[in-house]
């Protein structure tokens, strides 16, 4: 089982709709969860972080965390063509005393005008 | 701040040659990470440093790969000898913390390595 799993997509959403991206993780001790956006040919860019169960909103983005289900999601409201990118879920994991971020494979999102 | 700076942006080399990738982290960031990204395997952590000391190198694929951080503002990732399967985008990232709350990582622009 992969440590962090995402549906690779592609996920296609019409402009103005809500895009929903999902991620599951295997380490029950994880405490920090991040969403990165990566445009084609560019580096990952941090867009959201969440540490507590529930929802965290930032503009059009909402991150949701459910530690009991080991599930984290990202909602993008009023989707715009500029939101078309690959979204990477990252989860902190502790192994042999060292802590690090483990990334999922990413979900490719396309917003159709 | 200029962000995390990597060089070169692109590198094409022949199999068997030595390749050196360079990274300058954000000033004040105590953690530096080297990642490799491919279509098949996604973003993989190779090694990370805390205060210039290697903490976790379990992701380094084999002895052909080595990384150093001689001071707080410079790190190198070396591949010797290089092989075609090393072709990937190599990212350097830096952070105030290893991944626990509340720190995320800031990535450099990456080095696209092609080994022919």
């Amino acid at each position: 089982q992969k440590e962090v799993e995402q549906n690779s997509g592609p996920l296609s959403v019409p402009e103005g709709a809500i895009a929903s991206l999902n991620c599951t993780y295997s380490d029950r001790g994880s405490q920090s969860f991040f969403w990165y956006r990566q445009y084609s040919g560019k580096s990952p860019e941090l867009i959201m972080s969440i540490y507590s169960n529930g929802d965290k909103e930032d503009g059009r983005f909402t991150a949701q965390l459910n530690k009991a289900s080991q599930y984290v999601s990202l909602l993008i409201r009023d989707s715009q063509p500029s939101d078309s990118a690959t979204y990477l879920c990252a989860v902190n994991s502790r192994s042999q005393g060292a802590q690090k971020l483990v990334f999922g494979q990413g979900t490719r999102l396309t917003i159709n005008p | 701040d200029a962000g995390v700076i990597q060089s070169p942006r692109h590198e094409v080399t022949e199999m068997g040659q030595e390749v050196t990738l360079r990274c300058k982290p954000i000033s004040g960031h105590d953690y530096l990470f080297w990642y490799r990204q491919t279509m098949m395997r996604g973003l993989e952590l190779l090694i990370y440093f805390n205060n210039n000391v290697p903490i976790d190198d379990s992701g380094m694929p084999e002895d052909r790969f080595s990384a150093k951080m001689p001071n707080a503002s410079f790190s190198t990732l070396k591949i010797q000898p290089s092989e075609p399967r090393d072709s990937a985008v190599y990212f350097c990232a830096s952070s105030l913390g290893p991944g626990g709350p509340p720190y995320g990582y800031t990535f450099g622009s990456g080095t696209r390595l092609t080994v022919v």
Side-chain angles (χ1 to χ4, degrees):
Chain A
Q1 181 190 3
K2 291 182 181 177
E3 291 187 70
V4 180
E5 295 209 43
Q6 297 181 254
N7 187 327
S8 62
L11 176 64
S12 186
V13 173
E15 184 176 356
I18 296 176
S20 178
L21 306 164
N22 304 314
C23 171
T24 58
Y25 60 94
S26 60
D27 184 355
R28 284 197 169 274
S30 296
Q31 299 180 20
S32 305
F33 308 86
F34 305 87
W35 283 99
Y36 284 79
R37 178 177 61 200
Q38 186 175 24
Y39 292 115
S40 180
K42 302 296 185 181
S43 59
E45 170 194 14
L46 179 64
I47 55 172
M48 287 287 288
S49 60
I50 188 166
Y51 313 112
S52 304
N53 280 329
D55 294 0
K56 178 182 178 182
E57 187 175 317
D58 184 0
R60 295 186 297 111
F61 298 95
T62 299
Q64 299 176 316
L65 175 61
N66 183 327
K67 290 185 180 179
S69 300
Q70 295 174 246
Y71 177 93
V72 59
S73 64
L74 179 70
L75 301 178
I76 307 175
R77 290 183 301 281
D78 188 22
S79 297
Q80 303 295 311
S82 59
D83 296 325
S84 297
T86 295
Y87 289 80
L88 300 166
C89 174
V91 177
N92 86 308
S93 178
R94 184 180 290 276
S95 173
Q96 297 178 327
Q99 207 174 164
K100 60 189 178 185
L101 281 189
V102 179
F103 286 79
Q105 286 277 81
T107 297
R108 187 153 55 93
L109 174 67
T110 300
I111 307 300
N112 300 310
Chain B
D1 196 321
V4 178
I5 300 173
Q6 290 187 247
S7 64
R9 290 296 304 274
H10 303 275
E11 178 80 37
V12 180
T13 190
E14 292 186 348
M15 182 173 62
Q17 296 298 306
E18 177 179 294
V19 175
T20 299
L21 311 181
R22 297 172 175 80
C23 176
K24 175 180 168 56
I26 292 173
S27 177
H29 281 192
D30 295 330
Y31 289 82
L32 182 141
F33 308 84
W34 282 101
Y35 279 87
R36 177 173 67 177
Q37 188 175 40
T38 61
M39 288 292 292
M40 289 297 295
R41 301 175 68 90
L43 202 57
E44 301 175 279
L45 178 64
L46 300 177
I47 185 171
Y48 82 87
F49 296 83
N50 177 24
N51 291 324
N52 314 334
V53 176
I55 301 301
D56 183 352
D57 66 354
S58 59
M60 296 287 262
E62 48 199 273
D63 292 345
R64 298 184 298 107
F65 285 68
S66 62
K68 294 182 180 180
M69 192 165 186
N71 58 63
S73 60
F74 184 67
S75 177
T76 59
L77 178 67
K78 187 175 294 186
I79 309 173
Q80 165 64 17
S82 58
E83 297 183 2
R85 60 193 169 114
D86 300 330
S87 297
V89 180
Y90 291 80
F91 287 105
C92 176
S94 71
S95 175
L96 290 168
Y103 308 112
Y105 300 171
T106 302
F107 283 82
S109 299
T111 295
R112 182 174 295 277
L113 173 65
T114 303
V115 183
V116 297

